[in-house]
């Protein structure tokens, strides 16, 4: 974000651009007229004239708002120092709140990490225990038979 003076300069440049565009449009669209007595004739206002008048008024209002937001001559250095001190106090208060929130977050993070560590150790311990096996079963009985029954293929 730029400062107020730069914003004011941009708004003035925008106003100048709108004025140039409005004059160019008026030159293109205005009907020829004669000067002298009885030459005042009313014609319909083109939409471009209405548009540019609205844009020019809006830009002028924006410039007024920017001018009003600039520091005034009555703004002394004591007032500016007081405003800076007030902002510094607010900054310190917010810093303290942020540090408290960070400390609370670190406590929560530590709790979550210890819980995850406990879960991983428990899962690892359960997965390394040997599964109970049947004492009468032999290693060959545990594997499925690879032999095919010849009677089932005849159907």
């Amino acid at each position: 974000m730029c400062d107020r003076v730069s914003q004011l300069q941009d708004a003035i440049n925008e106003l100048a651009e709108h004025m140039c565009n409005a004059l160019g449009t008026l030159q293109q669209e205005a009907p020829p007229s004669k000067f002298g007595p009885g030459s005042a004739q009313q014609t319909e206002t083109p939409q471009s004239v209405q548009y540019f008048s609205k844009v020019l008024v809006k830009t002028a209002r924006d410039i007024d708002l920017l001018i009003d937001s600039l520091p005034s001559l009555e703004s002394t250095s004591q007032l500016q120092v007081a405003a800076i001190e007030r902002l510094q106090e607010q900054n310190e208060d917010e810093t303290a709140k942020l540090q408290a929130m960070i400390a609370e977050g670190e406590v929560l993070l530590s709790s979550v990490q210890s819980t995850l560590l406990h879960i991983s150790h428990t899962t690892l311990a359960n997965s390394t225990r040997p599964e109970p096996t049947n004492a009468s079963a032999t290693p060959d009985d545990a594997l499925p038979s690879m032999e095919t029954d010849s009677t089932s293929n005849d159907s």
Side-chain angles (χ1 to χ4, degrees), residues 16-38:
E17 181 181 338
H18 290 314
M19 290 179 88
C20 288
N21 289 337
L23 289 174
T25 303
L26 282 175
Q27 282 180 334
Q28 287 178 348
E29 295 179 1
S33 63
K34 296 181 180 180
F35 291 104

Side-chain angles (χ1 to χ4, degrees), residues 79-99:
L79 291 174
Q80 291 175 355
V81 168
I84 289 173
E85 288 174 354
R86 189 173 52 253
L87 289 172
Q88 184 65 28
E89 290 174 8
Q90 290 175 353
N91 188 18
E92 290 171 359
D93 291 342
E94 295 300 320
T95 300
K97 289 178 186 176
L98 181 61
Q99 288 174 345

Side-chain angles (χ1 to χ4, degrees), residues 40-100:
Q41 48 181 317
Q42 294 289 338
T43 60
E44 185 177 319
T45 306
Q47 280 189 326
S48 60
V49 173
Q50 293 173 353
Y51 167 76
F52 279 115
S53 63
K54 289 178 184 177
V55 170
L56 290 172
V57 168
K58 180 191 175 300
T59 307
R61 286 182 183 160
D62 291 345
I63 290 172
D64 286 339
L65 286 175
L66 287 170
I67 290 172
D68 290 341
S69 71
L70 291 173
S72 66
L73 294 176
E74 294 98 27
S75 179
T76 63
S77 60
Q78 291 93 3
L79 291 174
Q80 291 175 355
V81 168
I84 289 173
E85 288 174 354
R86 189 173 52 253
L87 289 172
Q88 184 65 28
E89 290 174 8
Q90 290 175 353
N91 188 18
E92 290 171 359
D93 291 342
E94 295 300 320
T95 300
K97 289 178 186 176
L98 181 61
Q99 288 174 345

